[in-house]
Every structure is written in C-alpha cells, then in structure tokens.
C-alpha cells in the first residue's frame, strides 16, 4: 500500500475506533433503553464508514456501496422491531428505565 | 437445484399472505409441514439429482452461487426436523391469527437458515444471520408478556453488538481480499496470514459468532431468552437457531475460510471447556425447568466448540454429530416442558414432583432425552461425546479429554437426581387432576425419542453414511474443498 | 507528533464531536437530533470518498427515516415530570464525564500505532467485459442476487414485526 493511502487509512481508522468506543460506552453506561438504541446506531455508522473506507482504498467502491445500501435496509428493520419491543415494555411497566425493570433475574 | 430450498418457501410465503380469503390461512400449516418433511427427506439422500443439477431454468432471474457439501446435508436435516417439531407443538397451542403469524415467522426462519447454509459469501451469511435474528426477536415476544419482551430486548442488544463486530471485521477483510466470497477471502487470508490486522479481523469475526452462539463469556442473553419465550419458540431457539446462527457459521468459516492455527485452536478449546463447566455448574441450583435447560444448552454447545477447536477430522465429525444430537434431545426436552407447563401451569420444579405416574409418555421420553444429554450408552448422546473425548485423547490433549469426561459425569449425576425427583417422586398435592399431554405433543415427543434411540442403536450405520463423510477436509492452510453446485460462481 | 490537518480530518473530528454530544446530552430528543446530525456528517464524508449512492441512501434513510422512528418511539414512551428531569440532570453529568477522558486517552494511543499496512492491495474487480470496474448498479442488481433475496425477506420479516408488535391486545 502506498504511503499516502496508508496515511489516509490511519487517519480514518483512528476516528472509526473512537466512534466505536463512543457507541459501546453509550450502550454500557445508559439506563434508558432508547439511548441504548442510539448507541447501536452510532456503532453501525462507524461500521458503514469503515466499509466505505475499505472500498475506497481497494478501488472497489461498487461492492462497498452495495454492501452499505443493504446494510442500511437491515438496520432500519432492526430499529423498527426494537422500537416495537420498547413500546410494549413501556406499556407493561410504565417506564423504560433499566434500573426499574428487574423482572428477569440474572 | 438446491436454490429451490430458498425460493419455494419465499413464493409460498407470498402466496399464503395474499388477501384472497381465509382458506389460504387454513392451508398454511399443511404447506409448512410439507416443506419441512420434504427437506428432511431430501437431505437424507445426498445422491439425489436434486442436489447435483444446476438452476438452469432460473438463470435469467436468480443467479447466485450456492455451496453444498456433506456438512450441509446434516444441517438441512437438523433444520427440517426441529422446524417440524416446533410447528407441530405450536399448532397445538395457537389458533387463528396468532397461529398464522407464528407460521409466517417460522417460514422466515426456515428461509434464513437454509440460505445461511447455502451461501458462499461472507456478506450473504451476515444478511441471513440478521434475517433469522429479527424473526427470532419477534417470535420470542410473540405473546407480548413482560418477561418475553425483556428477554427479547436483551437478546437484541447483545445480538446487535455481535453484528457490529461482524461488520467491522468484514470491512477489514474487504481491505485484504477485495471481495467477500469464501474462496477469495480464504486465499487472501492465506497469503497475508502473518499480518496483525488480518489476525485481528479473524479474531473479531469469531468473537461476534461466539456471542451469537451463546458461548461463555458471552452467554448472558441465553437463559433469559430461552426461559421467557413460549415453549414452542424455545424448541426452535435452543434446538436450531442459536446453533445454525452461531455454531454452524463458526464450523464453516474456521474450516473453509479462516483455517486453523494453534492460537485459534487453543482459544476455541479453552472457551469450549469453560462453557461446559459453567453451563453444567450453573444448571444445578436452578429452580425453573426451562432455565436449567438453557444452561444445559450452553454446556452442550461447549462440547461442540471443544470438538471444533481440536481440529482433527475425528473431532470435527464428533462435533457435527453432537450438533445433530443436541438438536434432537433439546427439542424433546422443551417439548416436554411445553406439555408440563400446559398441564400444570408452572415450570418451577419445586412445585412439580411425581409427574411420571400421571404423564407416562412425557416422563419416559424426558428420561430418554436426559440420559442422552448426560451421555449414557447406547443412546446417541453417548456416542457423540465419546467420539469427541476419544479424538481429544488421540490428539494428545489429555487435560481437555479428562476435564470433558469429568464434566460429563457431573452432568450425569445431577440429571439423574433431578429426573428422579421430578418424575418419579411422590405426587405433589394439587397435581392429582393432571392428565397426559395432548396427542400432538405426545406424537412429537415419541418421534424425537425414537430418533434418539434409533441413532444410538444404529450408530455404526449412521457413522459411516452420514457423519464421517460430513467432515469437510480439514487442513491447516485454508484451501477449499467441497462440492459447489452453482449457477455461476462469480 | 501532530496529524495532518486536512479537510477530511476536520470532517471526521466534527462527526466524532456530534456523536459525543448525542450520547452525553441529557434530553433524549436532543440525542436523536444529534444522531441525525451524525448521519449528515457521515454522508459528507462518504461523498468525499467517491461513494455518492451510499451517501444519498444514508442521508435519506438514516437521517430521515430512523430519526422519525426514534422520535415516534420516544413520544410514546416518555412521561417525565419536572422534578424527575432535574434529578436526572444531576446523575447524567456525573455519569458520562468519563467518556471524553477515555476518548482522549484512546486517541493518544491510536496515534502512536504503526498500522501493519505492508500488504498488497487486492486486484481490481472488473465487470464481465473486463474493461472498466463494475458500477454499483451492476453489482447490486445483477451480481448479488442472494443479497436482494435477503433484503426482500428481511423487509417481509419487518412487516410481520410491525403487524404483530404494534397491535393492541384485544383484552
């Protein structure tokens, strides 16, 4: 790999890694279920950015973009289903605070 | 023609969902049952022309490359069998609209798992992994009670984290290989095997798959999801979904794409062993029958990972055999849990004892299943565990072999004790009025028990015809073997 | 050692900061708006990386559709009175202050890493006539049929999910 491509790679990868850390921290440290979904979204954005970067570096943007488009479709369906689950959890418990949802033990 | 395994169910789902009147809804169970039985039949005869001809008729519309080898036949058989059992038990419990929803979701998991087994491409594997995951979240929460929703959400969170790990690793692999097809990735990783980034990518991918399999230390979602789901969904979840989504993907990728190296093998064996012990030990103090079964599942999957990590052809054959066995006896145990739950209204074992007198079929079949889990000859479970331990000994992994044997004895002692208390103790007060399980559930239980006994007794036949050939050739460098039946391999 | 300050660097930094704000802000709705802004920044970065189709998709779906889904979910599930808002404010500030520190430490570590990039890039993939690289449309519609089937199935699964999960129980 040439030097300036390597430079691009290291610049982008560092930020992608930092975004991943933000996302994981968000999921771990929140008590609110919707904020956990925001964390997952940030993680998936980091992953899409990484896929596009890999496509750019190997000059294979066609495959990378096709993958990203499919990925976005999958992500939307996941978010919709998760939203439905949260809605029903709220209807049962009147709260989406994980400290107050301790029906399942362990 | 194996692409039909995906295309026919898709067309089927679209047809039964057309708004053409109620008769289509009544037709749905028969259609689904026919599909599953057809798949079981087809996968028992690997020499049929069905598997060997290409999809010439469909060329203009659907041209994708599929990958079918001996491993796939065992997988298709397991998928068909467990889906059939789940369908029959679910039909008993549900009517009308919920039943129709259940059948639709069942068909979607069927398509997803078949496509996972058929796919020859890392990204297609991922897509159908997500299809199966989405369908299983909805299935767990299908009754919308509180416990099920929370279990489904916990499963969702961990599954999403695993998916992101898979994607990040996919991006790195794209950087090395320029494509996501198995042959291209395998040769690229082979060529770059010293590179730290390549090793990191492989490790990350495997971690993601381990989370999906429920291997320790990523097993946190397993007990909650299996316990909270309705029993007919637990049959599906424990019996086949977790295993195809996680364990099959691991087996296929480690053998055909990533290749073996000592670091990977050792870590897989270690994690497998830890799972065996954690699962077995955590199952002991449980008071809920289904929760105990969930921890027992973690333990059995540990055996499969242990066999995979060992790497010798015999060990991998043992792992695949144990895969099939676990599908049968876990499905049977959850079927019995469904029967007990329906008759007595509870799964807490303290309130249930002496059921054997009132529910002879359920009692006998669950004895058979538990003995098979613990590894008693001549049932099938004994043979698969024996092969794994024997292969470990032969590969000079004496510590692992001895530890696996010890865990087996531990499980045996505990299960026998539990079985005695639950089914053969004195009848609890308040349980005098229960009757045997209804015919449909009993039929499923007897069928599965018959399979367990038959596979155990006919073991030499099974071994030579199905299990030994099912081992795709294992070599330390990732060459590729396998019969690929394709339209066109791009 | 200082990284080269190019426009890409500024865009990436902006993305990171918006994501950080989205996570650390107290009110959930602001977090969702932050998520939409992150999507917009990612779109701009993708345009700069010559990936226009993916960028447009990301913009329309993630910055649009997913924000709508989140805001709908939040509007159905929030009933917070003023006192609880104040007490949540206190614990939020004490909870998330670790994140920027972790990020700065991680950034320092990451800048020191020498990425092992001495491998050959994979060969160019060409289309069937062997002349020019295949376009996104060719790849998506002609080559990857299995992925298309997968998308259809997952949309079907999503439709079932909505039909089942968003329905009131008739009790």
């Amino acid at each position: 790999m040439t030097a300036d491509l390597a430079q691009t790679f290291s610049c982008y990868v560092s930020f992608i890694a930092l975004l991943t850390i933000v996302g994981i921290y968000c999921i771990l440290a929140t008590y609110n279920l919707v904020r956990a979904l925001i964390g997952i979204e940030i993680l998936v954005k980091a992953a899409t950015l990484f896929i596009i970067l890999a496509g750019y570096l190997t000059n294979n943007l066609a495959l990378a973009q096709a993958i990203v488009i499919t990925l976005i479709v999958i992500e939307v369906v996941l978010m919709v289903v998760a939203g439905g689950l949260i809605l029903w959890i709220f209807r049962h418990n009147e709260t989406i605070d994980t400290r107050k949802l301790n029906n399942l033990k362990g | 023609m194996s692409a039909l395994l995906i295309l026919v169910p898709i067309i089927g789902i679209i047809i039964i969902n057309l708004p053409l009147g109620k008769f289509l809804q009544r037709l749905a169970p028969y259609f689904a049952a026919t599909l599953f039985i057809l798949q079981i039949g087809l996968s028992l005869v690997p020499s049929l022309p069905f598997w060997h001809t290409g999809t010439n008729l469909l060329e203009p519309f659907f041209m994708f490359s599929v990958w079918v080898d001996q491993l796939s036949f065992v997988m298709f058989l397991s998928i068909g069998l467990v889906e059939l059992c789940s369908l029959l038990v679910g039909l008993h419990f549900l009517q009308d609209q919920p039943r129709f929803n259940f059948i639709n979701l069942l068909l979607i998991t069927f398509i997803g798992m078949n496509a996972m087994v058929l796919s020859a491409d890392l990204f297609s594997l991922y897509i159908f992994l997500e299809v199966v995951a989405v369908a299983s979240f909805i299935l767990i929460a299908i009754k919308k009670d509180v416990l099920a929703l929370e279990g489904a959400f916990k499963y969702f969170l961990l599954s999403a984290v695993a998916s992101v790990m898979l994607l990040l690793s996919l991006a790195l692999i794209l950087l090395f290989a320029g494509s996501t097809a198995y042959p291209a990735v395998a040769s690229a990783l082979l060529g770059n095997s010293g590179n730290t980034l390549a090793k990191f990518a492989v490790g990350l991918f495997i971690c993601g798959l381990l989370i999906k399999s429920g291997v320790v230390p990523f097993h946190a979602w397993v007990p909650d999801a299996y316990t909270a789901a309705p029993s007919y969904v637990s049959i599906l979840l424990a019996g086949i979904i977790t295993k195809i989504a996680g364990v099959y993907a691991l087996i296929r990728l480690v053998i055909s794409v990533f290749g073996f190296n000592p670091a990977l093998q050792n870590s897989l064996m270690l994690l497998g062993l830890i799972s065996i012990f954690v699962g077995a030990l955590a199952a002991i103090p449980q008071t809920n029958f289904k929760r105990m079964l969930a921890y027992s599942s973690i333990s059995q999957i540990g055996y499969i990972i242990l066999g995979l990590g060992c790497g010798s052809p015999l060990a991998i054959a043992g792992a695949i055999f144990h895969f099939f066995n676990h599908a049968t006896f876990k499905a049977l145990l959850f079927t019995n849990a469904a029967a007990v739950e329906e008759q007595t209204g509870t799964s807490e074992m303290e309130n249930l004892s002496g059921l054997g007198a009132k529910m002879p079929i359920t009692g006998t079949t669950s004895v058979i299943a538990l003995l098979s889990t613990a590894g008693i000859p001549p049932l099938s479970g004994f043979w698969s565990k024996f092969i794994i331990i024997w292969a470990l000994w032969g590969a000079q992994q004496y510590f692992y072999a001895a530890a696996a044997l010890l865990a087996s004895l531990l499980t045996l002692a505990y299960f026998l004790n539990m079985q005695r208390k639950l089914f053969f103790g004195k009848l609890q007060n308040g349980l005098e009025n229960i009757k045997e399980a209804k015919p449909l559930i009993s039929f499923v239980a007897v069928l599965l028990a018959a399979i367990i006994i038959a596979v155990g007794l006919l073991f030499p036949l099974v071994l030579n015809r199905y299990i030994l050939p099912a081992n795709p050739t294992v070599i330390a460098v990732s060459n590729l073997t396998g019969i690929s039946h394709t339209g066109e391999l791009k | 050692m200082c990284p080269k300050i190019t426009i890409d660097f500024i865009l990436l930094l902006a993305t990171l900061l918006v994501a950080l704000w989205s996570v650390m802000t107290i009110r959930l709705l602001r977090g969702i708006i932050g998520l939409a802004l992150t999507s917009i920044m990612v779109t701009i970065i993708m345009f700069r990386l010559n990936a226009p189709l993916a960028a447009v998709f990301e913009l329309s779906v993630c910055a649009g559709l997913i924000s709508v889904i989140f805001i709908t979910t939040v509007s159905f599930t929030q009933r917070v009175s003023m006192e609880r808002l104040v007490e949540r404010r206190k614990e939020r500030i004490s909870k998330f202050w670790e994140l920027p520190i972790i990020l700065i430490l991680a950034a320092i570590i990451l800048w020191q890493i020498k990425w092992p990039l001495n491998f050959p890039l994979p060969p160019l993939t060409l289309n069937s006539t062997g002349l020019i690289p295949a376009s996104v449309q060719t790849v998506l519609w002609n080559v990857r049929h299995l992925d298309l089937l997968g998308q259809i199935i997952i949309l079907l699964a999503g439709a079932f999910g909505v039909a089942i999960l968003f329905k009131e129980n008739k009790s």
Side-chain angles (χ1 to χ4, degrees), chain B residues 273 276-277 280-281 284 299 303 306 374 385 389 392-393 398-414:
Chain B
L273 193 66
I276 297 176
F277 274 106
L281 290 173
I284 294 182
S299 182
Y303 274 101
L306 185 60
K385 281 192 184 176
I389 296 182
L392 280 172
W393 194 267
Y398 301 120
F399 167 66
Y400 284 108
L405 192 59
L406 178 66
S408 206
L409 294 173
L410 193 71
T411 322
L412 175 62
Y414 168 66

Side-chain angles (χ1 to χ4, degrees), chain C residues 40-105:
Chain C
I40 298 178
M41 300 307 305
V42 168
T43 306
I44 301 178
I45 295 179
M46 284 208 257
F47 267 120
R48 281 197 56 85
L49 286 178
N50 294 337
L53 275 168
V56 164
F57 224 82
E58 164 95 21
L59 185 68
S60 54
V61 175
C62 292
L65 185 57
I66 290 195
S67 303
V68 167
I69 294 174
F70 275 157
I71 294 181
T72 316
T73 312
V74 166
S75 72
F76 277 127
T77 61
Q78 226 173 29
R79 260 171 230 164
V80 177
S81 63
M82 250 350 251
E83 313 95 58
R84 282 167 60 182
L85 188 59
V86 168
E87 90 185 36
R88 276 208 285 160
R89 183 171 302 217
K90 292 204 200 101
E91 57 197 37
R92 175 56 48 72
I93 292 181
S94 64
K95 188 69 195 165
F96 275 55
W97 60 270
E98 305 143 346
L99 186 55
I101 301 183
I102 296 179
L103 283 181
I104 296 177
L105 284 174

Side-chain angles (χ1 to χ4, degrees), chain A residues 9 33 37 40 43 50-51 54 58 60 63 67 70-71 74 78 82 85-86 88-89 92-93 103-106, chain B residues 123 126-127 130 134 141 144 146-147 149-151 153-154 156-157 160 167-168 171-172 175 178-179 224 291:
Chain A
F9 177 83
L33 292 179
L37 285 191
I40 294 178
L43 280 176
F50 202 2
I51 293 178
T58 61
N60 198 352
L63 181 63
I67 290 181
T70 311
L71 199 58
I74 295 178
L78 275 178
L85 289 179
I86 291 184
W88 270 100
I89 293 179
H92 280 291
N93 286 333
N103 293 311
L104 288 169
K105 299 186 218 348
Chain B
F123 187 57
Y126 169 76
I127 294 180
E130 290 294 339
V134 165
K144 292 177 268 205
V146 169
L147 286 181
L149 287 167
E150 290 178 22
F153 196 81
K154 197 163 176 179
F156 168 78
L157 273 183
L167 285 173
L168 289 172
L172 271 174
L175 198 59
S179 135
D224 296 328
R291 210 173 175 87

Side-chain angles (χ1 to χ4, degrees), chain A residues 1 9 58, chain B residues 172 175-176 192 195 197, chain C residues 116-122:
Chain A
M1 202 187 285
F9 177 83
T58 61
Chain B
L172 271 174
L175 198 59
F176 282 99
N192 286 315
N195 198 322
L197 265 184
Chain C
L117 291 173
N118 51 350
F119 56 88
L121 286 179

Side-chain angles (χ1 to χ4, degrees), chain B residues 218-296:
Chain B
F218 309 118
H219 65 290
W221 60 270
V222 173
D224 296 328
Y226 288 13
T227 317
S231 295
Y232 41 90
V233 170
S234 293
I235 297 177
L236 196 63
L237 205 55
I240 199 71
I241 285 186
T242 313
K243 301 215 303 281
I244 291 274
V247 184
Y248 162 74
L250 259 177
I251 297 179
R252 169 69 71 205
L253 291 179
V254 168
I255 292 176
S256 304
V257 177
F258 296 147
F260 280 99
N261 59 60
L264 180 60
Q265 282 185 269
N266 285 333
S267 32
L268 278 180
M269 280 202 289
L270 188 64
L271 286 177
L273 193 66
I274 297 179
S275 304
I276 297 176
F277 274 106
V278 167
L281 290 173
I284 294 182
Q286 296 300 327
T287 57
N288 187 321
F289 188 47
K290 286 164 68 172
R291 210 173 175 87
M292 183 211 69
L293 290 179
Y295 279 109
S296 155

Side-chain angles (χ1 to χ4, degrees), chain B residues 187-209:
Chain B
S187 53
L189 287 177
L190 177 61
N192 286 315
S193 52
N195 198 322
T196 322
L197 265 184
K199 291 190 201 163
F200 178 67
V202 169
L204 199 60
F205 206 94
I206 292 187
C207 274
L209 288 177

